Amino acid sequence: MAVNWLPFLGCLSIAFGPSVTLFLCTAAKEAQAVILLITSAFFWLLSLLLSSLVWLAVVPLRKHLTLTLVFSVLFQEALRILFVLMVKKTNVALSRISRETTDLFHGPRYSVISGLGYGVMSAMFMYVNVLAEASGPGTYYTPGSPRMPIFVSGALQASVMTGLHVCWGLLAAEGVENRSLPLLAFVTLSHLLVSGLTLMNEAGVSPVYAIVCAYTSLALIGTFTFKRFKGNVKPFFKIQ
């Protein structure tokens, strides 16, 4: 029984290690950044609540996972845009009463933190229930991949989704700031595409293909995001 804690801790590190590292680099030392992260995670929960209500209200959706996924992504992106707008209004209000700075919640670092809140909450709902079984006796495999435990594939998918949400958070914030509909459409469509990869598991296809495609998407979207911010990573972190 004790031996099974090793894969549990390993999968936990894969799924949430990058998130913890990014949190320590961006938000851990600043109370308002932590509040922003928690609020962002709450907005993701609101999108989940709306998706659940639609799923309960529209009975045919219960038999069509693809449509449920589409509604879920649309709600997530709509709430992301709403969150960015709320943060902008909050920044304006706080700048009127703060004498220290006029940009309390403005800049790439806060967009990273917002995306991180979205990503961590998404990863937790995606993977925590699976991870809870990793400490028990035995292991589980997906029908499409009898050699890769579901704990490992789930950890890799949770990790990559967190990274993607960080990129989407940056791009969505820039899209709202510049009123760029093409950029917001890109965020939504790429989110739909990556989320659609999870449907491969339902078809009995090996999760390796979905994982490779997801990490390829992260590399491409991450490069695109990096170039849009001119390769300057310093504003993303709390560097003294």
Side-chain angles (χ1 to χ4, degrees):
M1 187 72 175
V3 177
N4 289 324
W5 282 101
L6 294 178
F8 172 83
L9 294 174
C11 292
L12 180 67
S13 299
I14 293 172
F16 298 106
S19 304
V20 172
T21 302
L22 192 56
F23 170 76
L24 293 175
C25 292
T26 59
K29 296 182 180 180
E30 190 174 341
Q32 65 190 33
V34 176
I35 294 173
L36 187 70
L37 185 144
I38 295 173
T39 308
S40 174
F42 176 73
F43 267 69
W44 188 91
L45 287 174
L46 286 179
S47 72
L48 181 65
L49 175 61
L50 292 175
S51 301
S52 301
L53 291 176
V54 171
W55 185 83
L56 289 172
V58 184
V59 177
L61 283 181
R62 303 178 189 179
K63 299 180 181 180
H64 300 283
L65 184 59
T66 302
L67 291 177
T68 303
L69 185 146
V70 169
F71 276 102
S72 177
V73 170
L74 292 178
F75 279 127
Q76 286 183 48
E77 295 307 325
L79 267 294
R80 194 197 302 273
I81 293 172
L82 181 62
F83 176 75
V84 173
L85 292 173
M86 185 202 72
V87 169
K88 286 184 64 178
K89 289 184 177 295
T90 302
N91 186 56
V92 172
L94 291 178
S95 65
R96 294 174 180 174
I97 61 175
S98 174
R99 297 180 180 178
E100 297 180 0
T101 178
T102 58
D103 292 313
L104 295 176
F105 290 116
H106 182 72
R109 186 167 69 91
Y110 290 107
S111 299
V112 169
I113 294 169
S114 301
L116 182 61
Y118 243 64
V120 168
M121 189 57 64
S122 173
M124 288 179 64
F125 267 80
M126 178 190 302
Y127 188 59
V128 165
N129 288 336
V130 176
L131 183 63
E133 300 295 330
S135 61
T139 187
Y140 301 91
Y141 298 89
T142 59
S145 181
R147 295 185 179 182
M148 176 178 283
I150 193 173
F151 310 125
V152 176
S153 61
L156 291 170
Q157 289 176 337
S159 179
V160 72
M161 285 304 294
T162 303
L164 285 166
H165 273 294
V166 170
C167 294
W168 290 328
L170 277 162
L171 294 175
E174 184 183 2
V176 172
E177 185 71 25
N178 298 330
R179 297 183 179 181
S180 175
L181 291 179
L183 190 56
L184 294 175
F186 170 77
V187 171
T188 303
L189 292 176
S190 60
H191 192 174
L192 281 169
L193 177 63
V194 175
S195 297
L197 294 174
T198 58
L199 297 176
M200 297 173 66
N201 298 331
E202 294 292 324
V205 180
S206 172
V208 173
Y209 297 108
I211 291 171
V212 171
C213 291
Y215 275 91
T216 302
S217 300
L218 176 59
L220 294 175
I221 295 173
T223 302
F224 174 70
T225 306
F226 190 71
K227 288 184 176 180
R228 286 196 70 90
F229 286 89
K230 301 179 180 179
N232 186 11
V233 299
K234 186 176 180 180
F236 295 177
F237 304 98
K238 185 66 174 179
I239 301 175
Q240 302 294 342

